Amino acid sequence: MARAGSVGTLHWINSPFYSNNANFIFQCGDKILEKYLWHYLNMVKDRLIKMSAKSTIQSLRNDELSNLLLYVPPIFVQRQIIDIIEPIEKLRETLISSVNKNLQLCKKLLKLIIINKSFTTMRNLKDVDFIKSGINDFVNNKEYIDTSCIDGVQQVKEGINITLLDRPSRANMQPIVNSVWLAKLSNSPKFILVKDYSKDILSKQIFSTGFIGLTSTNQYLINYLYILVQTKDFQSNKDLNSSGTTMIGINNNSFLSIQIPNLSIDEINEYGKKIDTILMNNYVMSKNIEYLNEIHSKLINLLI
Protein backbone atom coordinates (compact mmCIF):
# COMPACT_ATOMS: atom_id res chain seq x y z
CA MET A 1 0.00 0.00 0.00
CA ALA A 2 1.35 3.45 -0.93
CA ARG A 3 2.51 5.39 2.11
CA ALA A 4 3.51 8.55 0.22
CA GLY A 5 2.01 10.45 -2.70
CA SER A 6 -1.07 8.38 -3.61
CA VAL A 7 -1.69 7.42 0.02
CA GLY A 8 -3.88 4.34 0.42
CA THR A 9 -3.48 3.07 -3.15
CA LEU A 10 -3.42 -0.72 -2.87
CA HIS A 11 -1.75 -3.35 -5.03
CA TRP A 12 -2.47 -7.06 -4.72
CA ILE A 13 0.71 -9.02 -5.53
CA ASN A 14 1.03 -12.79 -5.17
CA SER A 15 4.39 -13.28 -6.88
CA PRO A 16 7.99 -12.21 -6.08
CA PHE A 17 8.49 -8.45 -6.36
CA TYR A 18 10.71 -5.55 -5.35
CA SER A 19 9.44 -2.57 -3.39
CA ASN A 20 10.83 0.66 -1.96
CA ASN A 21 10.23 2.51 1.29
CA ALA A 22 7.31 4.44 -0.24
CA ASN A 23 5.08 1.40 0.38
CA PHE A 24 3.72 -0.56 3.31
CA ILE A 25 4.01 -4.33 2.84
CA PHE A 26 1.46 -6.47 4.72
CA GLN A 27 1.87 -10.10 5.74
CA CYS A 28 -1.03 -11.57 7.68
CA GLY A 29 -1.02 -14.04 10.58
CA ASP A 30 -3.55 -16.81 11.19
CA LYS A 31 -6.39 -14.53 12.36
CA ILE A 32 -6.89 -12.47 9.21
CA LEU A 33 -6.91 -13.40 5.54
CA GLU A 34 -4.83 -11.27 3.16
CA LYS A 35 -7.75 -10.79 0.75
CA TYR A 36 -10.03 -9.72 3.61
CA LEU A 37 -7.45 -7.13 4.70
CA TRP A 38 -7.22 -5.95 1.08
CA HIS A 39 -10.97 -5.35 0.93
CA TYR A 40 -11.03 -3.70 4.35
CA LEU A 41 -8.20 -1.27 3.55
CA ASN A 42 -9.89 -0.39 0.25
CA MET A 43 -13.04 0.41 2.20
CA VAL A 44 -11.23 2.77 4.61
CA LYS A 45 -9.00 4.44 2.01
CA ASP A 46 -10.58 7.86 2.57
CA ARG A 47 -9.94 7.48 6.31
CA LEU A 48 -6.27 6.67 5.62
CA ILE A 49 -5.94 9.78 3.47
CA LYS A 50 -7.41 11.93 6.26
CA MET A 51 -4.97 10.35 8.77
CA SER A 52 -1.94 11.12 6.59
CA ALA A 53 0.42 14.03 7.16
CA LYS A 54 -0.18 17.03 4.93
CA SER A 55 2.97 18.45 3.37
CA THR A 56 4.39 18.92 -0.13
CA ILE A 57 4.05 15.15 -0.51
CA GLN A 58 1.21 13.56 1.44
CA SER A 59 2.46 10.65 3.55
CA LEU A 60 1.21 8.14 6.12
CA ARG A 61 3.44 7.31 9.09
CA ASN A 62 3.79 3.94 10.85
CA ASP A 63 2.28 5.26 14.09
CA GLU A 64 -0.73 6.67 12.24
CA LEU A 65 -1.41 3.37 10.49
CA SER A 66 -0.96 1.48 13.78
CA ASN A 67 -3.87 3.45 15.25
CA LEU A 68 -6.29 2.21 12.56
CA LEU A 69 -8.98 0.01 14.12
CA LEU A 70 -9.80 -3.17 12.18
CA TYR A 71 -12.97 -5.22 12.35
CA VAL A 72 -11.74 -8.84 12.24
CA PRO A 73 -14.52 -11.48 12.23
CA PRO A 74 -13.76 -15.23 12.43
CA ILE A 75 -11.89 -16.72 9.48
CA PHE A 76 -14.96 -18.58 8.16
CA VAL A 77 -16.89 -15.26 8.05
CA GLN A 78 -13.99 -13.58 6.24
CA ARG A 79 -14.08 -16.35 3.62
CA GLN A 80 -17.84 -15.89 3.15
CA ILE A 81 -17.37 -12.15 2.65
CA ILE A 82 -14.65 -12.77 0.07
CA ASP A 83 -16.82 -15.34 -1.76
CA ILE A 84 -19.63 -12.77 -2.08
CA ILE A 85 -17.44 -9.90 -3.24
CA GLU A 86 -14.96 -11.61 -5.59
CA PRO A 87 -17.39 -12.49 -8.45
CA ILE A 88 -18.25 -8.79 -8.75
CA GLU A 89 -14.55 -7.93 -8.81
CA LYS A 90 -13.86 -10.50 -11.53
CA LEU A 91 -16.65 -9.13 -13.72
CA ARG A 92 -15.37 -5.61 -13.15
CA GLU A 93 -11.81 -6.64 -14.07
CA THR A 94 -13.11 -8.30 -17.25
CA LEU A 95 -14.88 -5.10 -18.30
CA ILE A 96 -11.83 -2.95 -17.48
CA SER A 97 -9.67 -5.30 -19.55
CA SER A 98 -12.10 -4.99 -22.49
CA VAL A 99 -12.05 -1.18 -22.28
CA ASN A 100 -8.24 -1.16 -22.24
CA LYS A 101 -8.03 -3.58 -25.18
CA ASN A 102 -10.33 -1.33 -27.19
CA LEU A 103 -8.15 1.68 -26.39
CA GLN A 104 -5.03 -0.25 -27.42
CA LEU A 105 -6.73 -1.10 -30.72
CA CYS A 106 -7.53 2.59 -31.28
CA LYS A 107 -3.89 3.51 -30.58
CA LYS A 108 -2.61 0.85 -32.98
CA LEU A 109 -4.91 2.15 -35.72
CA LEU A 110 -3.64 5.67 -35.07
CA LYS A 111 -0.03 4.50 -35.20
CA LEU A 112 -0.62 3.06 -38.67
CA ILE A 113 -1.87 6.45 -39.88
CA ILE A 114 0.91 8.62 -38.44
CA ILE A 115 3.88 6.54 -39.63
CA ASN A 116 6.33 8.76 -41.53
CA LYS A 117 4.17 11.84 -40.98
CA SER A 118 5.80 15.19 -40.26
CA PHE A 119 4.91 17.14 -37.12
CA THR A 120 3.04 20.30 -36.37
CA THR A 121 1.77 21.76 -33.09
CA MET A 122 -1.59 21.90 -31.36
CA ARG A 123 -1.68 25.59 -32.27
CA ASN A 124 -2.10 24.65 -35.94
CA LEU A 125 -4.93 22.17 -35.41
CA LYS A 126 -8.04 23.87 -36.79
CA ASP A 127 -11.57 23.81 -35.34
CA VAL A 128 -10.40 23.07 -31.77
CA ASP A 129 -11.06 25.46 -28.88
CA PHE A 130 -10.26 25.53 -25.20
CA ILE A 131 -13.27 25.34 -22.89
CA LYS A 132 -13.23 28.42 -20.69
CA SER A 133 -13.77 28.38 -16.96
CA GLY A 134 -17.38 29.00 -15.95
CA ILE A 135 -20.53 26.96 -15.47
CA ASN A 136 -24.23 27.26 -16.20
CA ASP A 137 -26.67 27.96 -13.40
CA PHE A 138 -28.25 24.80 -11.98
CA VAL A 139 -30.70 23.80 -9.26
CA ASN A 140 -30.41 20.97 -6.74
CA ASN A 141 -27.10 19.07 -6.51
CA LYS A 142 -24.41 18.10 -8.98
CA GLU A 143 -21.38 15.84 -8.67
CA TYR A 144 -18.00 17.59 -8.59
CA ILE A 145 -15.37 15.58 -10.47
CA ASP A 146 -11.77 16.51 -9.71
CA THR A 147 -8.71 14.71 -11.05
CA SER A 148 -8.55 12.35 -8.04
CA CYS A 149 -11.87 10.82 -9.19
CA ILE A 150 -10.30 9.62 -12.44
CA ASP A 151 -7.74 6.88 -13.02
CA GLY A 152 -6.76 6.60 -16.67
CA VAL A 153 -10.11 6.74 -18.46
CA GLN A 154 -12.19 5.38 -15.56
CA GLN A 155 -14.06 7.25 -12.85
CA VAL A 156 -12.90 5.29 -9.81
CA LYS A 157 -14.72 7.16 -7.06
CA GLU A 158 -17.73 9.37 -6.63
CA GLY A 159 -17.25 13.11 -6.57
CA ILE A 160 -18.62 15.29 -3.80
CA ASN A 161 -22.14 16.73 -3.99
CA ILE A 162 -22.21 20.47 -4.66
CA THR A 163 -24.75 23.20 -5.20
CA LEU A 164 -24.38 26.33 -7.29
CA LEU A 165 -23.75 28.46 -4.20
CA ASP A 166 -21.86 25.89 -2.13
CA ARG A 167 -18.99 24.43 -4.11
CA PRO A 168 -15.17 24.53 -4.20
CA SER A 169 -13.77 27.40 -6.23
CA ARG A 170 -12.19 24.85 -8.60
CA ALA A 171 -15.60 23.35 -9.40
CA ASN A 172 -15.99 25.65 -12.36
CA MET A 173 -15.74 23.70 -15.64
CA GLN A 174 -18.86 22.83 -17.65
CA PRO A 175 -18.91 19.49 -19.52
CA ILE A 176 -20.25 19.96 -23.05
CA VAL A 177 -21.01 17.68 -26.00
CA ASN A 178 -17.98 16.84 -28.16
CA SER A 179 -15.27 17.59 -25.64
CA VAL A 180 -12.08 15.94 -24.40
CA TRP A 181 -10.67 16.55 -20.93
CA LEU A 182 -7.21 15.77 -19.58
CA ALA A 183 -5.47 16.52 -16.31
CA LYS A 184 -3.17 19.55 -16.31
CA LEU A 185 -0.69 18.07 -13.84
CA SER A 186 2.50 16.48 -15.12
CA ASN A 187 2.65 12.67 -14.95
CA SER A 188 -1.11 12.55 -14.47
CA PRO A 189 -2.68 10.51 -17.32
CA LYS A 190 -6.40 11.12 -16.71
CA PHE A 191 -8.87 11.50 -19.57
CA ILE A 192 -12.61 12.07 -20.08
CA LEU A 193 -14.57 11.94 -23.34
CA VAL A 194 -17.95 13.70 -23.46
CA LYS A 195 -20.24 12.93 -26.41
CA ASP A 196 -23.96 13.33 -27.02
CA TYR A 197 -24.56 9.92 -25.40
CA SER A 198 -22.78 10.96 -22.16
CA LYS A 199 -26.12 11.91 -20.58
CA ASP A 200 -25.08 11.41 -16.95
CA ILE A 201 -21.95 13.56 -17.31
CA LEU A 202 -23.81 16.33 -19.13
CA SER A 203 -26.72 16.48 -16.69
CA LYS A 204 -25.12 15.58 -13.36
CA GLN A 205 -21.45 16.60 -13.25
CA ILE A 206 -19.21 19.64 -12.95
CA PHE A 207 -15.47 19.30 -13.62
CA SER A 208 -12.47 20.77 -11.84
CA THR A 209 -10.27 23.52 -13.24
CA GLY A 210 -7.53 20.91 -12.83
CA PHE A 211 -8.62 19.66 -16.27
CA ILE A 212 -7.95 21.18 -19.67
CA GLY A 213 -11.06 20.95 -21.81
CA LEU A 214 -10.97 20.86 -25.62
CA THR A 215 -14.02 21.08 -27.85
CA SER A 216 -14.86 21.02 -31.54
CA THR A 217 -17.90 21.04 -33.80
CA ASN A 218 -16.35 18.00 -35.52
CA GLN A 219 -17.19 14.86 -33.52
CA TYR A 220 -14.60 12.77 -35.39
CA LEU A 221 -11.86 15.27 -34.58
CA ILE A 222 -12.81 14.89 -30.91
CA ASN A 223 -12.51 11.09 -31.21
CA TYR A 224 -9.05 11.56 -32.71
CA LEU A 225 -7.99 13.96 -29.95
CA TYR A 226 -9.24 11.63 -27.22
CA ILE A 227 -6.88 8.88 -28.42
CA LEU A 228 -4.05 11.23 -29.38
CA VAL A 229 -3.75 12.78 -25.91
CA GLN A 230 -3.42 9.29 -24.40
CA THR A 231 -0.39 8.32 -26.51
CA LYS A 232 3.04 8.15 -24.87
CA ASP A 233 4.48 10.74 -27.26
CA PHE A 234 1.76 13.26 -26.45
CA GLN A 235 2.03 12.70 -22.70
CA SER A 236 5.83 13.04 -22.84
CA ASN A 237 5.46 16.27 -24.81
CA LYS A 238 2.89 17.54 -22.34
CA ASP A 239 5.22 16.85 -19.40
CA LEU A 240 8.16 18.56 -21.18
CA ASN A 241 6.00 21.66 -21.70
CA SER A 242 4.76 21.70 -18.10
CA SER A 243 6.02 24.23 -15.56
CA GLY A 244 5.63 25.14 -11.91
CA THR A 245 7.31 24.67 -8.55
CA THR A 246 5.37 22.44 -6.16
CA MET A 247 2.61 21.64 -8.66
CA ILE A 248 4.06 21.06 -12.14
CA GLY A 249 1.45 21.26 -14.87
CA ILE A 250 0.57 22.50 -18.34
CA ASN A 251 -1.15 25.80 -19.10
CA ASN A 252 -3.11 26.71 -22.22
CA ASN A 253 -0.27 28.58 -23.91
CA SER A 254 2.23 25.77 -23.36
CA PHE A 255 -0.37 23.22 -24.45
CA LEU A 256 -0.50 24.87 -27.88
CA SER A 257 3.22 24.14 -28.29
CA ILE A 258 2.83 20.36 -27.98
CA GLN A 259 3.91 18.55 -31.12
CA ILE A 260 1.38 16.35 -32.90
CA PRO A 261 1.32 14.40 -36.20
CA ASN A 262 0.55 16.59 -39.19
CA LEU A 263 -2.59 14.88 -40.51
CA SER A 264 -5.05 16.25 -43.02
CA ILE A 265 -8.64 16.79 -41.89
CA ASP A 266 -9.72 13.97 -44.22
CA GLU A 267 -7.31 11.57 -42.49
CA ILE A 268 -8.53 12.72 -39.07
CA ASN A 269 -12.20 12.31 -40.07
CA GLU A 270 -11.61 8.85 -41.53
CA TYR A 271 -9.85 7.71 -38.36
CA GLY A 272 -12.38 9.34 -36.02
CA LYS A 273 -15.27 7.71 -37.84
CA LYS A 274 -13.56 4.31 -37.76
CA ILE A 275 -13.24 4.33 -33.94
CA ASP A 276 -16.59 5.99 -33.17
CA THR A 277 -18.46 2.75 -32.36
CA ILE A 278 -15.51 1.47 -30.32
CA LEU A 279 -15.59 4.57 -28.12
CA MET A 280 -19.36 4.33 -27.70
CA ASN A 281 -19.01 0.70 -26.58
CA ASN A 282 -16.30 1.75 -24.14
CA TYR A 283 -18.67 4.32 -22.66
CA VAL A 284 -21.34 1.65 -22.07
CA MET A 285 -18.79 -0.68 -20.44
CA SER A 286 -17.44 2.17 -18.30
CA LYS A 287 -20.93 2.92 -16.98
CA ASN A 288 -21.29 -0.78 -16.09
CA ILE A 289 -17.95 -0.63 -14.30
CA GLU A 290 -19.15 2.36 -12.28
CA TYR A 291 -22.35 0.47 -11.44
CA LEU A 292 -20.32 -2.54 -10.25
CA ASN A 293 -18.10 -0.21 -8.20
CA GLU A 294 -21.22 1.13 -6.50
CA ILE A 295 -22.54 -2.38 -5.76
CA HIS A 296 -19.10 -3.44 -4.52
CA SER A 297 -18.87 -0.45 -2.19
CA LYS A 298 -22.36 -1.04 -0.76
CA LEU A 299 -21.65 -4.74 -0.21
CA ILE A 300 -18.37 -3.99 1.54
CA ASN A 301 -20.09 -1.55 3.88
CA LEU A 302 -22.84 -4.07 4.63
CA LEU A 303 -20.58 -7.04 5.16
CA ILE A 304 -17.56 -5.56 6.93
Side-chain angles (χ1 to χ4, degrees), residues 1-210:
M1 181 180 77
R3 67 192 299 167
S6 300
V7 169
T9 299
L10 287 156
H11 299 280
W12 175 263
I13 301 175
N14 54 10
S15 59
F17 69 98
Y18 292 97
S19 182
N20 57 30
N21 60 7
N23 295 298
F24 290 107
I25 309 297
F26 299 103
Q27 287 183 305
C28 298
D30 57 2
K31 291 187 177 179
I32 186 167
L33 299 173
E34 286 90 347
K35 214 54 187 290
Y36 175 84
L37 179 62
W38 156 270
H39 288 300
Y40 192 91
L41 291 174
N42 264 315
M43 182 185 74
V44 299
K45 182 177 178 179
D46 287 343
R47 199 187 312 170
L48 294 171
I49 293 172
K50 289 178 182 177
M51 290 167 57
S52 61
K54 308 296 189 297
S55 60
T56 303
I57 298 178
Q58 196 169 27
S59 60
L60 184 64
R61 299 193 302 267
N62 288 357
D63 59 330
E64 292 167 332
L65 184 60
S66 297
N67 289 327
L68 179 68
L69 293 176
L70 297 177
Y71 169 63
V72 184
I75 288 292
F76 79 92
V77 175
Q78 294 180 42
R79 287 200 178 97
Q80 289 176 335
I81 290 171
I82 293 168
D83 288 343
I84 292 171
I85 292 170
E86 295 245 304
I88 294 172
E89 288 199 336
K90 288 179 180 178
L91 178 56
R92 182 175 60 182
E93 288 167 6
T94 299
L95 288 171
I96 290 172
S97 176
S98 296
V99 167
N100 290 333
K101 286 178 181 177
N102 280 346
L103 289 174
Q104 288 305 315
L105 173 60
C106 292
K107 290 175 186 177
K108 286 179 180 178
L109 291 172
L110 179 59
K111 195 171 183 179
L112 291 173
I113 297 170
I114 64 177
I115 290 176
N116 298 325
K117 291 290 183 179
S118 60
F119 288 91
T120 184
T121 63
M122 282 295 302
R123 191 183 310 276
N124 295 323
L125 189 60
K126 304 301 181 184
D127 195 26
V128 177
D129 295 304
F130 289 112
I131 297 174
K132 296 178 180 179
S133 180
I135 60 173
N136 302 329
D137 290 350
F138 63 91
V139 295
N140 300 323
N141 294 341
K142 288 208 173 190
E143 182 184 11
Y144 168 49
I145 302 298
D146 64 13
T147 54
S148 71
C149 297
I150 307 297
D151 182 16
V153 298
Q154 296 295 331
Q155 182 176 336
V156 293
K157 72 172 187 178
E158 291 184 4
I160 63 171
N161 283 330
I162 60 169
T163 65
L164 182 63
L165 299 179
D166 184 14
R167 70 183 199 274
S169 60
R170 289 168 64 86
N172 206 40
M173 298 298 286
Q174 184 74 48
I176 61 175
V177 173
N178 288 336
S179 60
V180 170
W181 303 78
L182 63 157
K184 292 179 179 178
L185 281 182
S186 177
N187 295 309
S188 184
K190 300 165 185 278
F191 315 97
I192 305 172
L193 174 66
V194 183
K195 301 295 288 288
D196 55 359
Y197 49 75
S198 310
K199 303 300 184 184
D200 56 329
I201 294 176
L202 293 165
S203 64
K204 298 177 182 178
Q205 295 183 344
I206 295 294
F207 292 164
S208 166
T209 53

